[in-house]
Amino acid sequence: MFFLALRSVRQRPGRFAATLLSAFLGAVIIMTFSSLFDTAAAPGTDDASAESLTLSASVVGGYGSLLVFFAIASTLTVNVRQRASETHLLRCTGATPAQITRMVVGEAVVVATVATLAAVGPAVLGGRVLVGLFQDSGQVSERVDPVFGPVALGSGAGIVLLATAGAAFLAVRRATRAAAGARTRRGGRGRALAGTAAVVAGAAGISTTYAMDGTEEMLMAFPAYGAILLSVGFAVLAPSLLGRVLGRLQAPVDRVGGASGYLTTRHLRRRGAELSGVLMPMIIFTGIATATLYIQAVESDWVTASGLAKTVDDKNVETLNLVVVGIVVVFSCVMLVNSLYAATSYRGGEFGRQRLAGATPRQVLGTVGCEAVVLTLTGLFLGTVAGVAGIIPFTMVRTDQVLPDQGPGTWLAVVAVATAATLGTTLATARTTLRTPAVDAVAAAA
């Protein structure tokens, strides 16, 4: 099966492009920040510099590892789902589920290995740039030289390979069970429990903010992590939340969108579980980016208004917040674009059947655009709720105001990025897919 995996990757590399990109970016980020551990442990690094480097590597490394798994899992899940006919053919020729699982996991490991090797060079450069930025801000001594050593290589290769193999195993196992008609009620119940637990924990963290003193140095931690947990909880509960939103929007969408609106709501209801994968990165991106940027801005203004000079710890926290937002933006956009591209391009047969039934390419494109708008509004709403839930308590306790002074500009920028990624990818992919003649598209999907 490993031979089949290697041969499959060599014959159809385009199939694994999304997974390769996710693994490559993940390896670059993890190895870049893990190199800070090597630098901190190097001879001649003073204690204050080592503390700043270790803190940054630990926090960002944890976030990076989770995002790597989610990004790779989202692309592999779509990849495995699109290969249902191929999997069925292998089963018909005698392959067992265990053999298919080993083949898919083997393919993923091959791709992850290539991505990790390709990421070494950019990670070395990134580590040097990162140490230079810390030195410019005064968090690390100028005498410290960047080091890229075994910790960076080991953590990057280990985390990416394990995340890829685990995500591939879960994706093919889920697809195999679904093809065999296995019941998924237990999985749905587990997802609901996990999402509810994250929402409850996030709400508890945010509520704790009101019990803190307004001058407490660690006040930021509670609303920030609470907003993150709320975002993750909403993302996990996306399938059920999408269904409830559609229940509210069905009538107005039908009236405004006409035939396209009618088809939109029916299609979203029928494929809510699949399309919720698009909502997950959008909710996480909107919630975390909004909460972190506003909370950090309020904190910086408060420190300035208090006449206090920023300490090294303050600079560390600010740097970590901005870096984490940057990582979330990159991975969320990658996950969003990959999911949208795969989900839209996979519908070539569906688009062909609609055109053979009398729909024009413009009408099909209108339906796809309407679906993208509904998904975008749903994701932005849930992400904004999670972000605002952390911003308001922090602003009230820190400054005695309800809303921050920064205004809606930051939120509008976040919304613009998410909207552009969603609508741009969906419409561009659909337009490309519609260039295939309807008869050919239906035949290819058969």
Side-chain angles (χ1 to χ4, degrees), residues 367-379 422-423:
T367 300
V368 173
C370 193
E371 294 171 359
V373 169
V374 173
L375 288 175
T376 301
L377 292 177
T378 303
T422 304
L423 295 180

Side-chain angles (χ1 to χ4, degrees), residues 279-369:
L279 286 178
M280 292 181 67
M282 191 185 304
I283 294 171
I284 292 175
F285 163 63
T286 305
I288 295 180
T290 301
T292 306
L293 291 175
Y294 274 103
I295 289 175
Q296 181 58 58
V298 171
E299 177 71 8
S300 298
D301 289 350
W302 178 79
V303 172
T304 302
S306 302
L308 302 174
K310 287 187 178 180
T311 64
V312 174
D313 289 339
D314 292 333
K315 293 180 180 179
N316 284 340
V317 172
E318 184 174 0
T319 301
L320 288 175
N321 285 336
L322 296 178
V323 169
V324 166
V325 170
I327 292 175
V328 170
V329 168
V330 171
F331 269 101
S332 297
C333 286
V334 170
M335 292 168 62
L336 187 61
V337 171
N338 285 343
S339 299
L340 285 169
Y341 175 80
T344 306
S345 60
Y346 184 57
R347 299 171 62 185
E350 175 189 337
F351 295 161
R353 288 189 292 272
Q354 291 178 357
R355 292 160 63 189
L356 291 176
T360 65
R362 185 174 181 178
Q363 290 174 324
V364 175
L365 196 62
T367 300
V368 173

Side-chain angles (χ1 to χ4, degrees), residues 193-207 226 229-230 233 237:
L193 289 175
T196 302
V199 170
V200 171
I206 290 173
S207 300
L229 287 173
L230 279 180
L237 296 173

Side-chain angles (χ1 to χ4, degrees), residues 133-202:
L133 292 176
F134 279 116
Q135 291 173 335
D136 292 340
S137 64
Q139 298 164 257
V140 174
S141 172
E142 294 287 345
R143 295 188 297 272
V144 174
D145 294 324
V147 177
F148 190 91
V151 176
L153 287 172
S155 61
I159 291 175
V160 172
L161 289 175
L162 287 175
T164 304
F169 175 81
L170 293 176
V172 72
R173 185 169 180 266
R174 188 183 301 116
T176 302
R177 293 184 61 184
R183 297 177 66 183
T184 59
R185 181 177 300 175
R186 181 177 301 177
R189 186 183 298 118
R191 184 188 187 107
L193 289 175
T196 302
V199 170
V200 171

Side-chain angles (χ1 to χ4, degrees), residues 48 92 95 97 135 151 156 185 246 250 277 322 388 418 425:
C92 292
Q135 291 173 335
V151 176
R185 181 177 300 175
L246 289 175
Q250 180 171 333
L322 296 178
V388 171
T425 303

Side-chain angles (χ1 to χ4, degrees), residues 20 28 38 53 56 65 83 98 122 134 139 158 163 165 180 220 223 258 271 298 300-301 337 360 383 404 414 438 442:
L20 180 66
V28 170
D38 293 311
L53 293 169
S56 300
S65 300
R83 298 169 61 184
F134 279 116
Q139 298 164 257
M220 291 177 60
R271 298 183 60 192
V298 171
S300 298
D301 289 350
V337 171
T360 65
V414 172
V442 173

Side-chain angles (χ1 to χ4, degrees), residues 46-306:
D46 59 280
D47 293 340
S49 298
E51 182 179 356
S52 297
L53 293 169
T54 302
L55 177 63
S56 300
S58 301
V59 174
V60 179
Y63 277 110
S65 300
L66 289 175
L67 290 171
V68 167
F69 178 81
F70 280 121
I72 295 175
S74 66
T75 55
L76 282 173
T77 298
V78 175
N79 180 283
V80 171
R81 186 183 299 128
Q82 291 180 339
R83 298 169 61 184
S85 58
E86 177 185 335
T87 303
H88 178 70
L89 179 61
L90 290 173
R91 291 294 306 276
C92 292
T93 57
T96 64
Q99 289 174 324
I100 295 175
T101 300
R102 287 197 296 270
M103 183 189 71
V104 175
V105 173
E107 292 172 350
V109 170
V110 170
V111 172
T113 302
V114 174
T116 303
L117 293 175
V120 172
V124 172
L125 179 60
R128 292 182 177 275
V129 172
L130 199 58
V131 172
L133 292 176
F134 279 116
Q135 291 173 335
D136 292 340
S137 64
Q139 298 164 257
V140 174
S141 172
E142 294 287 345
R143 295 188 297 272
V144 174
D145 294 324
V147 177
F148 190 91
V151 176
L153 287 172
S155 61
I159 291 175
V160 172
L161 289 175
L162 287 175
T164 304
F169 175 81
L170 293 176
V172 72
R173 185 169 180 266
R174 188 183 301 116
T176 302
R177 293 184 61 184
R183 297 177 66 183
T184 59
R185 181 177 300 175
R186 181 177 301 177
R189 186 183 298 118
R191 184 188 187 107
L193 289 175
T196 302
V199 170
V200 171
I206 290 173
S207 300
T208 306
T209 307
Y210 292 106
M212 302 291 292
D213 185 82
T215 60
E216 177 64 40
E217 292 184 0
M218 298 301 295
L219 181 64
M220 291 177 60
F222 296 98
Y225 283 109
I228 291 172
L229 287 173
L230 279 180
S231 301
V232 173
F234 288 159
V236 173
L237 296 173
S240 59
L241 293 175
L242 178 60
R244 296 186 179 184
V245 170
L246 289 175
R248 301 278 185 178
L249 294 179
Q250 180 171 333
V253 170
D254 287 352
R255 287 196 301 268
V256 175
S260 296
Y262 178 86
L263 292 175
T264 294
T265 54
R266 271 62 183 178
H267 178 261
L268 290 176
R269 280 186 173 277
R270 183 171 57 86
R271 298 183 60 192
E274 297 177 16
L275 294 175
S276 62
V278 176
L279 286 178
M280 292 181 67
M282 191 185 304
I283 294 171
I284 292 175
F285 163 63
T286 305
I288 295 180
T290 301
T292 306
L293 291 175
Y294 274 103
I295 289 175
Q296 181 58 58
V298 171
E299 177 71 8
S300 298
D301 289 350
W302 178 79
V303 172
T304 302
S306 302

